[in-house]
Amino acid sequence: MTAAAPLGSKANPIAFDHESPAYAANWADEYRTIRESACPIAWSGAHGGYFVPSRYRDIVAIAQDSQTFSSAKHVDVATGEVTGGVLIPTIPFPTAYPIETDRPVWDAYRNFINRRFAPKAAEARRDFARAHASLLLDQVIETGAIDFVADLTGPLPAIVTMDLMGLPLADWRDFAEPLHEIVYTPKESPEFVAVAARFQAMFDRCLVELERYRNLPPEDNLLSLFAHAPFEGRRLTDDEVLGYCNNILAGGVDTTTALTTNVLAYLWRNPNEKRRLIDDPMLLPTAREEFVRFFAPQHAVARNCTRDTEVGGIPIAAGDRVYMPWGAGNRDPEIFDDPDRIDLARFPNRHIGFGAGAHRCVGSFIARAMFEEMIKAVLTRIPEYVIDLDSARRYRSIGTINGWMNMPATFAPGMRLSPAALG
Ligand code: HEM
């Protein structure tokens, strides 16, 4: 009698689907089980099959070997078939730049935008973020009711990212809504077609704005940079610009929304921790990193194996896809003491919530500033908010972004700080 193949090997896949409701409810437990099993890099048969590493060290090793584990997306010109890229399942949107490219091509695309995201550039956006967080709260403060996602954590990152891009701020809803829908709608569901059409309309709008900037003198925003600055001695093509728009809008808008919304729920459930943060604002930087670790708002991406190899004793073959759950690495007890507990003062904190290796998040400094300004605005102006958790809904699928669709809350009404209204 031959021994059964170990659970998690290709011959005996685990029941795992990062887009399923079961995953959304129990992801940390699912990774604990995989981590402690005979196959800590397990094979799931869902979505055409993919590996699921669960240990910090394996996820980091894969992220740091971008020659073997490619992010590149390929579109077959003849058939239109899309393969590779950083999403499982693959979706037919423009290749995202720089995230869906590999070195050395990646270096050129990343270097082209790096300066706009550097710590100093991010800090320069803080006042804008603070002012808009305040204006957003002004819109609801007299009513005593807020939907955190619709009224604050969704709009603020959308407005800041659109400002960075040079997109018209008054139309932020046309961008924020498709960017939310695209991440929580399962890619194989019937609704996805309509969602994808709205997402596409957003790109069409980006092209209109790009053309406008091409006919204007250079301005200090990314679309104007894309319109005017020479890239390797030539002008960027429309497809390349759309690739940047895809990456920067998707990266900028929903991730910080998810982080801040999770944190507002956590602080409401843990009033003593909220009080600590209010009484000691110096805790905010370590708390912020701990929240990124714990919630892993950009939950995972994917890689595509380019040659037969082995990681952590598990063979991975050329052509295999690998799901890269930053959230699993962030809960690995080999690296983090008591990983399932939030410690506002955790330091050092080697979390991989902003990724690891070359593709590490370019927007992390802007994200930190936006998060801090939203949390400070809430803790200063409506600290005693009460969330209606029974009405709040998490994303149906959290396998890409660990976010919330809505989060209604009430508070003691207060006074506006500014007479100005938002568009
Ligand atoms: C809390 C908020 C955020 C989190 C948790 C987050 C997380 C991540 C992670 C994990 C990666 C690595 C992906 C990979 O390895 O393939 C990444 C890359 C990226 N992020 Fe963020 N992100 C956040 C906010 C932002 C913001 C605000 C922007 C832009 C305004 C942004 C733009 C990008 C871009 C362009 C990349 C691709 C970088 C490259 O490929 O070189 N992100 N992000």
Side-chain angles (χ1 to χ4, degrees), residues 133-157:
S134 178
L135 279 176
L136 287 161
L137 281 187
D138 273 355
Q139 315 254 303
V140 294
I141 193 117
E142 290 165 337
T143 69
I146 186 167
D147 183 316
F148 276 127
V149 179
D151 298 328
L152 178 67
T153 65
L156 193 275

Side-chain angles (χ1 to χ4, degrees), residues 63 71 86 97-101 106 110 113 117 157 161 164 244 247-253 255-257 259 292 296-299 301-303 326 352-364 366-368 370-371:
S71 299
V86 295
Y97 292 92
I99 202 170
E100 289 183 314
T101 62
W106 169 86
R110 172 86 178 224
I113 58 167
F117 292 89
T161 308
L164 172 76
Y244 272 125
N247 195 170
I248 295 165
L249 287 169
V253 174
T255 47
T256 317
T257 302
L259 172 67
V292 176
Q298 206 260 49
H299 203 64
V301 286
R303 295 288 190 262
W326 314 115
I352 47 173
F354 286 118
H359 291 278
R360 200 168 184 286
C361 181
V362 74
S364 62
I366 294 179
R368 289 175 171 120
M370 294 193 293
F371 166 78

Side-chain angles (χ1 to χ4, degrees), residues 55-130:
R55 295 185 301 207
Y56 182 98
R57 59 179 134 128
D58 297 331
I59 297 168
V60 170
I62 294 169
Q64 290 182 341
D65 182 0
S66 56
Q67 293 298 315
T68 308
F69 294 100
S70 159
S71 299
K73 182 147 119 183
H74 306 280
V75 183
D76 184 314
V77 185
T79 63
E81 194 199 350
V82 182
T83 50
V86 295
L87 291 175
I88 296 176
T90 300
I91 49 173
F93 289 129
T95 299
Y97 292 92
I99 202 170
E100 289 183 314
T101 62
D102 294 333
R103 308 194 93 144
V105 174
W106 169 86
D107 294 80
Y109 285 115
R110 172 86 178 224
N111 287 339
F112 193 58
I113 58 167
N114 258 342
R115 200 171 54 80
R116 306 295 175 125
F117 292 89
K120 242 176 142 173
E123 269 317 299
R125 302 203 162 267
R126 187 182 283 277
D127 287 349
F128 181 85
R130 183 182 303 132

